[in-house]
Amino acid sequence: MDFLLTEEQLMLKEMVEKFAKDKILPVASENERNHLFPTEIIKEAGELGLMGVAYPTEYGGAGMDFVSYFLAVEAVSRYCASTGVIISAHSSLVCDPIFNFGTEEQKQKYLPGLLSGQKIGSFSLTESGAGSDAGATKTTAKFVDGRWLLNGSKIFATNGKEADVFILLASTEPEKKTRGVTAFIVEKDTPGYSIGKVERKLGIRSSSTAEIVLENVELPAENMLGELNQGFKISMITLDGGRLGIASQALGIARASLEDSVKYSKERYQFDQPIANFQAIQWMLADMKTEYDAAWLLTYRASLMKDKKMNYSAAAAMAKLKSSEVAMDAARKAIQIHGGYGYTEDFNVERYYRDAKITEIYEGTSEIQRLVIARDLLK
Ligand code: CAA
């Protein structure tokens, strides 16, 4: 599908692929087994411009587009899906809303550090009682004596343990539900702000997923992001972009599953011949490739629509829905092709299988993506 890409996009893809293969792959499985956040890799990714691919150079970004961003997240996730989501959550869920809804002062203050990767971002929307029903937030923000006072707790914040800057959603007028939620920018050292439980997870283990606890956190008025009570819409618009990032991550996992399976099926001999000679294997490979290409094209389309500033909510939901289900299926087939060895840690396919599952869950489950697509169809 390279014929759809510009010279600049192809160069970026090649550069990220090389970086991920040379630097990320050698440590990916070890970091994953030890639940280690890849601090040095993220620093290097920042130096290469990967923490701010699609944002203007005047704020410290790489000045490229969202198709490039999708290619970068896919290439990184091909070798390590944990690193892919660290970059994606940071870029789509933190840099994007600050760039889109921040005041000029907020952009000047936060974007240079974030886009260069010197600072890491995390997005705190989900709560124990507010998952798919994201508007049911119980965390409150009250305006008292010229300052915001925040109380509550958030869960499942990607990058939560390492982040310096958080975008956090709180209820400012609970009776208005989704129309009474406001977004805030919170820095990690703010008194009353702390990291709670850090999750032990099935996959993406070298990215952190943490609880955030807020006990009388005081914020100056200027830390409100966007307008009062517009936070739910800000999070929905932000998640449209986030879903592109997760679609790209899922594509990386699907491609890894396919490429490893092609290689293995040519090397593995049974019945005196490579297993690639058997139609049972060939059909699995053919289906994996066809589904991957379909998911890639949906993700390319949604990224292009974002670049063209079109309404791409349903397109992003389709890209994420398809790519995540393709990743899960490709990883399952990859283990099947690898047989007993695929079930061991000697091969990477067991990691792909565990990593793929989350792409059907976070930033909106597959059921929520179907709901978004159906609502768009029936409106
Ligand atoms: N763009 C702009 N506005 C949008 C929008 C979008 N994509 N989607 C909804 N809105 C607006 C609606 O137009 C509506 O506006 P009005 O108030 O003016 O009428 C308002 O937002 C409320 O919308 P709904 O009535 O559709 O809200 P709902 O309560 O029915 O919820 C939902 C809709 C699609 C189910 C939504 O709650 C949703 O996406 N849920 C999933 C949440 C999610 O993805 N969570 C992931 C969290 S992040 C994460 O995973 C962790 C991480 O770090 C990776």
Side-chain angles (χ1 to χ4, degrees):
M1 258 93 67
D2 282 359
F3 72 95
L4 290 169
L5 305 178
T6 64
E7 273 302 306
E8 206 185 16
Q9 289 162 352
L10 282 170
M11 275 166 59
L12 172 101
K13 188 179 156 201
E14 201 179 307
M15 181 273 282
V16 184
E17 194 84 16
K18 185 168 171 9
F19 166 66
K21 195 173 184 179
D22 293 352
K23 298 283 175 73
I24 303 180
L25 179 64
V27 292
S29 291
E30 193 62 20
N31 280 351
E32 213 265 343
R33 255 170 238 138
N34 295 315
H35 298 249
L36 276 182
F37 186 88
T39 307
E40 280 309 308
I41 285 169
I42 292 302
K43 214 172 135 220
E44 270 190 70
E47 285 158 12
L48 292 174
L50 303 184
M51 302 302 276
V53 173
Y55 303 96
T57 48
E58 64 180 289
Y59 295 112
M64 298 185 77
D65 53 17
F66 284 95
V67 170
S68 306
Y69 168 66
F70 130 60
L71 297 170
V73 174
E74 191 209 335
V76 167
S77 305
R78 156 65 183 89
Y79 298 97
C80 175
S82 293
T83 312
V85 76
I86 293 167
I87 295 174
S88 170
H90 165 94
S91 305
S92 288
L93 302 184
V94 181
C95 302
D96 209 60
I98 295 179
F99 180 69
N100 288 332
F101 302 102
T103 60
E104 193 49 41
E105 288 72 28
Q106 288 171 336
K107 290 187 204 182
Q108 297 287 355
K109 182 170 178 190
Y110 295 107
L111 287 179
L114 287 166
L115 297 178
S116 63
Q118 282 158 11
K119 296 220 155 124
I120 293 175
S122 176
F123 179 74
S124 301
L125 170 68
T126 305
E127 297 184 6
S128 53
S132 291
D133 185 6
T137 180
K138 291 277 177 285
T139 294
T140 56
K142 292 190 176 133
F143 201 58
V144 185
D145 298 332
R147 293 176 78 76
W148 287 102
L149 192 65
L150 274 65
N151 278 290
S153 69
K154 297 280 173 182
I155 57 167
F156 299 159
T158 301
N159 297 341
K161 189 160 153 260
E162 297 79 14
D164 305 281
V165 179
F166 296 77
I167 303 292
L168 189 134
L169 282 300
S171 177
T172 29
E173 284 186 66
E175 62 288 356
K176 290 191 178 169
K177 302 196 166 164
T178 56
R179 292 175 182 165
V181 173
T182 301
F184 296 91
I185 306 176
V186 188
E187 292 177 45
K188 75 166 174 195
D189 294 328
T190 311
Y193 198 76
S194 60
I195 306 302
K197 183 181 174 210
V198 179
E199 303 295 342
R200 303 282 292 184
K201 309 187 294 284
L202 175 70
I204 56 160
R205 290 177 178 166
S206 48
S207 71
S208 72
T209 305
E211 179 190 20
I212 310 293
V213 181
L214 302 112
E215 288 169 317
N216 291 323
V217 171
E218 278 191 37
L219 293 180
E222 63 262 25
N223 278 37
M224 186 171 85
L225 178 68
E227 288 174 32
L228 181 69
N229 293 338
Q230 290 299 305
F232 187 77
K233 274 190 197 169
I234 290 175
S235 22
M236 289 298 109
I237 292 166
T238 297
L239 280 166
D240 286 341
R243 288 165 188 167
L244 272 187
I246 301 308
S248 313
Q249 183 204 22
L251 280 170
I253 301 169
R255 182 154 66 85
S257 303
L258 174 61
E259 289 176 356
D260 286 14
S261 297
V262 167
K263 181 171 181 288
Y264 185 79
S265 63
K266 286 185 194 164
E267 290 167 357
R268 170 76 173 160
Y269 272 67
Q270 287 291 274
F271 305 101
D272 302 322
Q273 53 189 312
I275 60 169
N277 284 359
F278 298 116
Q279 211 172 40
I281 303 294
Q282 291 171 5
W283 287 13
M284 278 197 266
L285 295 176
D287 284 346
M288 285 159 87
K289 172 65 175 154
T290 307
E291 290 291 293
Y292 166 82
D293 279 9
W296 191 99
L297 285 165
L298 281 174
T299 309
Y300 173 77
R301 176 184 72 166
S303 309
L304 201 59
M305 287 171 79
K306 182 163 168 66
D307 280 327
K308 290 182 181 295
K309 304 198 187 314
M310 296 165 70
N311 180 346
Y312 72 106
S313 299
M318 282 183 242
K320 181 186 182 279
L321 173 64
K322 182 72 182 168
S323 303
S324 57
E325 294 190 349
V326 165
M328 198 63 234
D329 193 48
R332 186 179 62 77
K333 286 193 170 89
I335 295 197
Q336 197 65 18
I337 290 168
H338 284 70
Y341 290 112
Y343 201 65
T344 71
E345 290 184 352
D346 292 348
F347 287 83
N348 287 332
V349 288
E350 63 85 31
R351 170 160 64 89
Y352 307 155
Y353 187 74
R354 291 185 291 100
D355 286 349
K357 185 59 212 168
I358 190 61
T359 66
E360 293 182 317
I361 298 172
Y362 59 15
E363 304 205 25
T365 59
S366 292
E367 292 70 25
I368 291 296
Q369 307 312 322
R370 287 187 168 90
L371 179 148
V372 170
I373 297 161
R375 279 188 184 176
D376 183 68
L377 205 54
L378 299 170
K379 73 183 178 216

